[in-house]
Amino acid sequence: MGRTSKDKRDVYYRLAKENGWRARSAFKLLQLDEEFQLFQGVTRAVDLCAAPGSWSQVLSQKIGGQGSGHVVAVDLQAMAPLPGVLQIQGDITQLSTAKEIIQHFEGCPADLVVCDGAPDVTGLHDVDEYMQAQLLLAALNIATHVLKPGGCFVAKIFRGRDVTLIYSQLRVFFSSVLCAKPRSSRNSSIEAFAVCQGYDPPAGFLPDLTKPLLDHSYDPDFNQLDGPTRIIVPFVTCGDLSSYDSDRSYPLDLEDGSEYKYTPPTQPPISPPYQEACTLKKKGRLAKEIRPQDCPISTVDSMPQ
Ligand code: SAM
Protein backbone atom coordinates (compact mmCIF):
# COMPACT_ATOMS: atom_id res chain seq x y z
CA MET A 1 0.00 0.00 0.00
CA GLY A 2 1.42 3.38 -1.03
CA ARG A 3 1.52 6.33 1.33
CA THR A 4 -1.29 8.02 -0.61
CA SER A 5 -3.80 5.19 -0.18
CA LYS A 6 -4.85 6.34 3.30
CA ASP A 7 -5.32 9.86 1.94
CA LYS A 8 -7.75 8.40 -0.60
CA ARG A 9 -9.65 6.17 1.80
CA ASP A 10 -9.92 8.70 4.61
CA VAL A 11 -10.63 12.24 3.51
CA TYR A 12 -10.58 13.60 7.09
CA TYR A 13 -7.11 12.09 7.67
CA ARG A 14 -5.89 13.88 4.57
CA LEU A 15 -7.60 17.18 5.41
CA ALA A 16 -6.21 17.05 8.95
CA LYS A 17 -2.65 16.94 7.63
CA GLU A 18 -3.35 19.66 5.09
CA ASN A 19 -4.83 21.92 7.78
CA GLY A 20 -2.05 21.28 10.28
CA TRP A 21 -4.11 19.22 12.73
CA ARG A 22 -2.30 16.41 14.50
CA ALA A 23 -5.25 14.01 14.07
CA ARG A 24 -8.48 13.69 12.10
CA SER A 25 -10.34 13.88 15.43
CA ALA A 26 -9.98 17.67 15.25
CA PHE A 27 -12.92 17.70 12.81
CA LYS A 28 -15.13 15.91 15.32
CA LEU A 29 -14.66 18.67 17.89
CA LEU A 30 -15.03 21.39 15.24
CA GLN A 31 -18.28 19.83 13.97
CA LEU A 32 -19.59 19.44 17.53
CA ASP A 33 -18.82 23.11 18.13
CA GLU A 34 -20.64 24.14 14.93
CA GLU A 35 -23.75 22.42 16.25
CA PHE A 36 -23.54 23.33 19.95
CA GLN A 37 -21.33 26.49 20.13
CA LEU A 38 -19.24 24.74 22.75
CA PHE A 39 -16.53 27.38 22.87
CA GLN A 40 -18.77 30.41 23.43
CA GLY A 41 -17.48 32.33 26.47
CA VAL A 42 -14.97 29.58 27.30
CA THR A 43 -11.59 30.64 28.68
CA ARG A 44 -10.57 27.61 30.73
CA ALA A 45 -10.79 24.05 29.47
CA VAL A 46 -9.58 20.54 30.24
CA ASP A 47 -8.77 18.08 27.45
CA LEU A 48 -8.77 14.55 28.88
CA CYS A 49 -7.17 11.74 26.85
CA ALA A 50 -5.65 14.36 24.62
CA ALA A 51 -2.78 12.75 22.67
CA PRO A 52 -1.62 13.33 20.01
CA GLY A 53 -3.26 16.70 20.65
CA SER A 54 -5.60 17.78 17.86
CA TRP A 55 -8.43 18.66 20.29
CA SER A 56 -5.93 20.68 22.35
CA GLN A 57 -4.89 22.47 19.15
CA VAL A 58 -8.54 23.33 18.45
CA LEU A 59 -9.14 24.44 22.03
CA SER A 60 -6.06 26.63 22.25
CA GLN A 61 -6.95 28.29 18.94
CA LYS A 62 -10.64 28.78 19.67
CA ILE A 63 -10.93 29.77 23.30
CA GLY A 64 -10.26 33.02 25.01
CA GLY A 65 -9.03 34.68 21.78
CA GLN A 66 -5.35 35.42 21.09
CA GLY A 67 -3.91 32.68 23.30
CA SER A 68 -5.31 34.06 26.58
CA GLY A 69 -7.22 30.81 27.19
CA HIS A 70 -6.02 28.19 29.58
CA VAL A 71 -5.98 24.55 28.47
CA VAL A 72 -4.84 21.58 30.54
CA ALA A 73 -4.29 18.43 28.46
CA VAL A 74 -3.90 14.96 29.97
CA ASP A 75 -2.99 11.62 28.46
CA LEU A 76 -1.31 8.33 29.27
CA GLN A 77 1.02 8.96 26.35
CA ALA A 78 3.61 11.70 26.10
CA MET A 79 2.50 14.47 23.76
CA ALA A 80 4.65 16.85 21.72
CA PRO A 81 4.38 20.34 23.27
CA LEU A 82 1.75 22.82 22.13
CA PRO A 83 1.94 26.55 22.83
CA GLY A 84 -0.44 27.63 25.61
CA VAL A 85 -1.32 24.06 26.62
CA LEU A 86 -0.23 22.71 29.98
CA GLN A 87 0.38 18.98 29.73
CA ILE A 88 0.05 16.26 32.32
CA GLN A 89 1.09 12.70 31.51
CA GLY A 90 -1.04 10.28 33.52
CA ASP A 91 -3.97 7.91 33.73
CA ILE A 92 -7.25 9.75 34.28
CA THR A 93 -8.65 6.80 36.24
CA GLN A 94 -5.85 7.23 38.83
CA LEU A 95 -6.37 9.35 41.92
CA SER A 96 -2.94 11.00 41.63
CA THR A 97 -3.69 12.23 38.07
CA ALA A 98 -7.15 13.46 39.05
CA LYS A 99 -5.66 15.41 41.98
CA GLU A 100 -3.01 17.00 39.75
CA ILE A 101 -5.67 18.16 37.30
CA ILE A 102 -8.00 19.46 39.99
CA GLN A 103 -5.30 21.56 41.65
CA HIS A 104 -4.95 23.63 38.46
CA PHE A 105 -8.56 24.74 38.73
CA GLU A 106 -8.83 25.40 42.46
CA GLY A 107 -10.51 28.78 42.93
CA CYS A 108 -10.79 29.25 39.17
CA PRO A 109 -13.04 26.57 37.67
CA ALA A 110 -13.19 25.40 34.08
CA ASP A 111 -15.93 26.23 31.58
CA LEU A 112 -15.46 23.09 29.50
CA VAL A 113 -14.19 19.55 30.03
CA VAL A 114 -13.76 17.32 26.97
CA CYS A 115 -12.75 13.68 26.85
CA ASP A 116 -12.02 11.79 23.64
CA GLY A 117 -10.60 8.82 25.55
CA ALA A 118 -10.70 5.41 24.01
CA PRO A 119 -9.30 2.19 25.44
CA ASP A 120 -7.25 -0.15 23.29
CA VAL A 121 -10.14 -1.89 21.56
CA THR A 122 -10.17 -5.66 22.11
CA GLY A 123 -12.98 -6.49 19.67
CA LEU A 124 -14.98 -8.00 22.55
CA HIS A 125 -17.86 -5.53 22.47
CA ASP A 126 -18.95 -5.89 26.08
CA VAL A 127 -15.40 -5.43 27.35
CA ASP A 128 -14.76 -2.44 25.07
CA GLU A 129 -18.01 -0.77 26.10
CA TYR A 130 -17.29 -1.37 29.76
CA MET A 131 -13.76 0.10 29.49
CA GLN A 132 -15.10 3.09 27.56
CA ALA A 133 -17.76 3.66 30.23
CA GLN A 134 -15.09 3.57 32.95
CA LEU A 135 -13.07 6.22 31.13
CA LEU A 136 -16.16 8.39 30.70
CA LEU A 137 -17.05 8.05 34.38
CA ALA A 138 -13.50 8.88 35.44
CA ALA A 139 -13.73 11.97 33.23
CA LEU A 140 -17.13 12.88 34.68
CA ASN A 141 -15.75 12.51 38.19
CA ILE A 142 -12.94 14.95 37.36
CA ALA A 143 -15.46 17.27 35.68
CA THR A 144 -17.53 17.43 38.91
CA HIS A 145 -14.44 18.80 40.67
CA VAL A 146 -13.38 21.38 38.13
CA LEU A 147 -16.48 22.59 36.24
CA LYS A 148 -18.17 25.83 37.09
CA PRO A 149 -21.98 25.86 37.39
CA GLY A 150 -23.45 25.99 33.90
CA GLY A 151 -20.27 24.45 32.44
CA CYS A 152 -20.15 21.89 29.69
CA PHE A 153 -18.83 18.31 29.44
CA VAL A 154 -18.30 16.48 26.14
CA ALA A 155 -17.19 12.85 26.12
CA LYS A 156 -16.81 10.04 23.68
CA ILE A 157 -19.37 7.35 24.30
CA PHE A 158 -19.93 3.90 22.79
CA ARG A 159 -23.61 3.46 21.99
CA GLY A 160 -23.80 -0.04 23.40
CA ARG A 161 -26.40 -2.02 25.30
CA ASP A 162 -26.02 -0.17 28.61
CA VAL A 163 -25.69 3.35 27.31
CA THR A 164 -28.98 4.47 28.91
CA LEU A 165 -27.43 3.87 32.33
CA ILE A 166 -24.70 6.36 31.47
CA TYR A 167 -27.21 8.89 30.13
CA SER A 168 -29.10 8.60 33.43
CA GLN A 169 -25.94 9.32 35.39
CA LEU A 170 -25.08 12.28 33.20
CA ARG A 171 -28.59 13.69 33.58
CA VAL A 172 -28.06 13.81 37.34
CA PHE A 173 -25.40 16.48 36.78
CA PHE A 174 -26.42 18.37 33.64
CA SER A 175 -29.63 20.07 32.61
CA SER A 176 -29.19 18.97 28.98
CA VAL A 177 -27.69 15.70 27.71
CA LEU A 178 -27.59 14.83 24.02
CA CYS A 179 -25.92 12.17 21.97
CA ALA A 180 -24.14 13.63 18.93
CA LYS A 181 -22.53 12.00 15.92
CA PRO A 182 -20.23 14.30 13.92
CA ARG A 183 -20.03 13.63 10.20
CA SER A 184 -16.30 12.95 10.54
CA SER A 185 -17.04 10.02 12.87
CA ARG A 186 -17.53 6.92 10.75
CA ASN A 187 -21.04 5.49 10.57
CA SER A 188 -19.51 2.08 10.94
CA SER A 189 -18.21 3.02 14.42
CA ILE A 190 -20.39 2.83 17.55
CA GLU A 191 -18.60 5.95 18.74
CA ALA A 192 -20.66 9.06 19.43
CA PHE A 193 -20.30 11.99 21.82
CA ALA A 194 -22.33 12.80 24.91
CA VAL A 195 -22.79 16.57 24.91
CA CYS A 196 -23.77 17.64 28.41
CA GLN A 197 -24.57 21.30 28.95
CA GLY A 198 -25.60 23.29 32.03
CA TYR A 199 -23.60 21.73 34.87
CA ASP A 200 -26.05 21.67 37.75
CA PRO A 201 -25.23 19.03 40.37
CA PRO A 202 -27.95 17.97 42.82
CA ALA A 203 -28.35 20.24 45.87
CA GLY A 204 -25.88 19.21 48.55
CA PHE A 205 -23.69 17.20 46.16
CA LEU A 206 -20.08 17.23 47.29
CA PRO A 207 -17.58 15.96 44.74
CA ASP A 208 -15.57 13.17 46.35
CA LEU A 209 -12.62 11.50 44.68
CA THR A 210 -12.73 8.56 47.04
CA LYS A 211 -16.20 7.58 45.81
CA PRO A 212 -16.40 6.64 42.16
CA LEU A 213 -19.59 7.82 40.51
CA LEU A 214 -20.40 4.32 39.42
CA ASP A 215 -20.62 1.46 41.86
CA HIS A 216 -18.46 -1.10 40.11
CA SER A 217 -20.81 -3.93 40.99
CA TYR A 218 -23.24 -3.70 38.10
CA ASP A 219 -26.73 -4.43 39.31
CA PRO A 220 -28.44 -6.31 36.48
CA ASP A 221 -31.87 -4.88 37.33
CA PHE A 222 -30.68 -1.31 37.52
CA ASN A 223 -28.75 -1.88 34.33
CA GLN A 224 -31.87 -2.72 32.39
CA LEU A 225 -33.65 0.57 32.91
CA ASP A 226 -37.08 0.65 31.36
CA GLY A 227 -40.45 2.31 31.83
CA PRO A 228 -40.19 5.75 33.46
CA THR A 229 -36.55 5.12 34.49
CA ARG A 230 -35.39 4.66 30.93
CA ILE A 231 -33.84 7.87 29.64
CA ILE A 232 -33.75 8.36 25.91
CA VAL A 233 -31.62 11.32 25.00
CA PRO A 234 -31.96 13.16 21.68
CA PHE A 235 -29.59 11.98 18.95
CA VAL A 236 -28.08 14.75 16.83
CA THR A 237 -25.94 14.42 13.73
CA CYS A 238 -23.44 17.26 13.32
CA GLY A 239 -22.32 18.48 9.92
CA ASP A 240 -24.75 18.41 6.99
CA LEU A 241 -24.56 16.62 3.66
CA SER A 242 -22.14 19.21 2.35
CA SER A 243 -19.45 17.90 4.72
CA TYR A 244 -17.34 14.98 3.58
CA ASP A 245 -18.67 11.52 4.37
CA SER A 246 -16.14 9.75 6.62
CA ASP A 247 -17.13 6.30 5.28
CA ARG A 248 -16.42 7.16 1.61
CA SER A 249 -13.22 7.06 -0.41
CA TYR A 250 -12.59 10.27 -2.36
CA PRO A 251 -10.44 10.81 -5.44
CA LEU A 252 -7.18 12.51 -4.57
CA ASP A 253 -8.06 15.69 -6.51
CA LEU A 254 -10.88 17.15 -4.41
CA GLU A 255 -14.10 18.59 -5.86
CA ASP A 256 -13.04 22.16 -5.07
CA GLY A 257 -10.45 21.78 -7.85
CA SER A 258 -7.45 21.74 -5.53
CA GLU A 259 -4.68 19.57 -6.90
CA TYR A 260 -3.49 16.68 -4.75
CA LYS A 261 -0.12 17.01 -3.10
CA TYR A 262 1.00 14.54 -0.44
CA THR A 263 1.26 16.12 3.02
CA PRO A 264 3.24 14.34 5.74
CA PRO A 265 1.63 14.01 9.19
CA THR A 266 1.58 17.27 11.16
CA GLN A 267 3.13 15.71 14.25
CA PRO A 268 4.56 12.20 13.90
CA PRO A 269 4.19 10.11 17.08
CA ILE A 270 7.01 10.93 19.52
CA SER A 271 7.33 7.48 21.07
CA PRO A 272 5.13 5.02 19.20
CA PRO A 273 4.77 1.51 20.62
CA TYR A 274 6.20 0.11 17.36
CA GLN A 275 9.42 2.15 17.61
CA GLU A 276 11.53 -0.69 19.03
CA ALA A 277 10.38 -3.04 16.25
CA CYS A 278 11.33 -0.42 13.60
CA THR A 279 14.82 0.02 15.09
CA LEU A 280 15.38 -3.75 15.23
CA LYS A 281 14.14 -4.16 11.67
CA LYS A 282 16.53 -1.47 10.40
CA LYS A 283 19.41 -3.33 12.05
CA GLY A 284 18.12 -6.66 10.63
CA ARG A 285 17.67 -7.92 14.17
CA LEU A 286 13.91 -8.37 14.24
CA ALA A 287 13.38 -11.93 15.48
CA LYS A 288 11.95 -14.30 12.89
CA GLU A 289 9.84 -17.30 13.72
CA ILE A 290 12.01 -20.42 13.71
CA ARG A 291 10.24 -23.28 11.97
CA PRO A 292 11.47 -26.85 12.69
CA GLN A 293 12.00 -27.45 8.91
CA ASP A 294 14.52 -24.55 8.87
CA CYS A 295 16.63 -26.09 11.66
CA PRO A 296 19.57 -28.41 11.07
CA ILE A 297 18.60 -32.03 11.90
CA SER A 298 20.84 -32.14 14.96
CA THR A 299 19.09 -29.04 16.45
CA VAL A 300 15.63 -30.48 15.81
CA ASP A 301 16.62 -33.67 17.55
CA SER A 302 17.81 -31.79 20.61
CA MET A 303 14.73 -29.52 20.82
CA PRO A 304 12.63 -30.07 23.98
CA GLN A 305 9.39 -31.99 23.23
N1 SAM B 1 -8.53 13.79 21.08
C1 SAM B 1 -7.23 13.30 20.69
C2 SAM B 1 -6.72 14.18 19.57
O1 SAM B 1 -7.52 14.90 19.04
O2 SAM B 1 -5.54 14.13 19.26
C3 SAM B 1 -7.27 11.84 20.28
C4 SAM B 1 -7.49 10.93 21.47
S1 SAM B 1 -7.22 9.25 21.08
C5 SAM B 1 -8.66 8.84 20.18
C6 SAM B 1 -7.54 8.45 22.60
C7 SAM B 1 -6.50 8.71 23.68
O3 SAM B 1 -7.00 8.22 24.91
C8 SAM B 1 -5.16 8.00 23.46
O4 SAM B 1 -4.15 8.94 23.27
C9 SAM B 1 -4.96 7.23 24.77
O5 SAM B 1 -3.62 7.25 25.23
C10 SAM B 1 -5.87 7.98 25.73
N2 SAM B 1 -6.25 7.22 26.91
C11 SAM B 1 -6.84 6.01 26.96
N3 SAM B 1 -7.01 5.64 28.23
C12 SAM B 1 -6.55 6.65 29.02
C13 SAM B 1 -6.46 6.85 30.42
N4 SAM B 1 -6.89 5.93 31.28
N5 SAM B 1 -5.91 7.99 30.88
C14 SAM B 1 -5.44 8.93 30.01
N6 SAM B 1 -5.51 8.79 28.66
C15 SAM B 1 -6.05 7.66 28.18
Side-chain angles (χ1 to χ4, degrees), residues 23-298:
R24 68 191 296 291
S25 328
F27 292 105
K28 299 178 192 170
L29 188 57
L30 289 166
Q31 288 169 349
L32 287 168
D33 174 55
E34 266 168 36
E35 188 71 38
F36 299 104
Q37 290 79 49
L38 299 175
F39 306 138
Q40 221 166 54
V42 171
T43 56
R44 297 170 71 77
V46 188
D47 182 6
L48 298 172
C49 303
S54 77
W55 280 28
S56 291
Q57 285 181 292
V58 172
L59 287 169
S60 68
Q61 287 188 19
K62 295 275 179 181
I63 72 172
Q66 307 311 311
S68 61
H70 184 85
V71 179
V72 173
V74 189
D75 202 284
L76 280 173
Q77 320 275 346
M79 213 169 102
L82 275 172
V85 176
L86 189 139
Q87 291 181 26
I88 296 173
Q89 188 173 357
D91 179 344
I92 64 160
T93 67
Q94 295 286 313
L95 190 62
S96 54
T97 313
K99 280 185 175 163
E100 201 179 335
I101 301 165
I102 293 163
Q103 87 185 22
H104 284 286
F105 292 90
E106 264 157 17
C108 211
D111 310 284
L112 174 66
V113 175
V114 295
C115 177
D116 189 24
D120 288 336
V121 174
T122 62
L124 301 170
H125 295 314
D126 285 351
V127 174
D128 293 338
E129 281 162 37
Y130 177 79
M131 299 291 287
Q132 181 64 30
Q134 294 306 305
L135 268 185
L136 183 144
L137 291 166
L140 175 60
N141 201 356
I142 292 168
T144 62
H145 286 80
V146 301
L147 266 187
K148 70 174 194 194
C152 177
F153 174 63
V154 175
K156 193 198 300 271
I157 195 165
F158 284 175
R159 285 171 302 141
R161 211 161 37 109
D162 299 328
V163 76
T164 50
L165 176 61
I166 296 173
Y167 292 145
S168 309
Q169 289 177 312
L170 293 170
R171 278 290 295 273
V172 170
F173 295 96
F174 295 90
S175 55
S176 159
V177 176
L178 291 141
C179 173
K181 180 84 173 169
R183 189 125 163 96
S184 47
S185 170
R186 295 185 183 90
N187 281 331
S188 47
S189 156
I190 59 166
E191 154 192 285
F193 292 87
V195 178
C196 311
Q197 289 173 297
Y199 179 57
D200 182 20
F205 171 76
L206 283 179
D208 181 356
L209 276 176
T210 62
K211 288 201 192 100
L213 288 162
L214 178 73
D215 178 347
H216 284 247
S217 61
Y218 264 89
D219 172 349
D221 294 330
F222 183 55
N223 227 356
Q224 300 304 322
L225 298 173
D226 54 17
T229 55
R230 180 173 162 83
I231 288 185
I232 299 177
V233 304
F235 182 83
V236 181
T237 53
C238 318
D240 58 22
L241 292 178
S242 63
S243 334
Y244 290 107
D245 177 347
S246 47
D247 289 293
R248 254 187 69 187
S249 290
Y250 286 88
L252 290 171
D253 286 326
L254 286 179
E255 289 136 25
D256 63 6
S258 52
E259 199 186 318
Y260 176 75
K261 208 170 124 247
Y262 176 76
T263 315
T266 303
Q267 172 62 57
I270 51 175
S271 59
Y274 48 82
Q275 196 165 21
E276 193 183 341
C278 293
T279 315
L280 290 174
K281 191 165 182 203
K282 258 191 207 149
K283 294 182 182 162
R285 285 174 41 209
L286 196 61
K288 290 198 183 103
E289 189 191 352
I290 300 173
R291 300 172 305 167
Q293 61 267 39
D294 298 335
C295 295
I297 304 286
S298 56

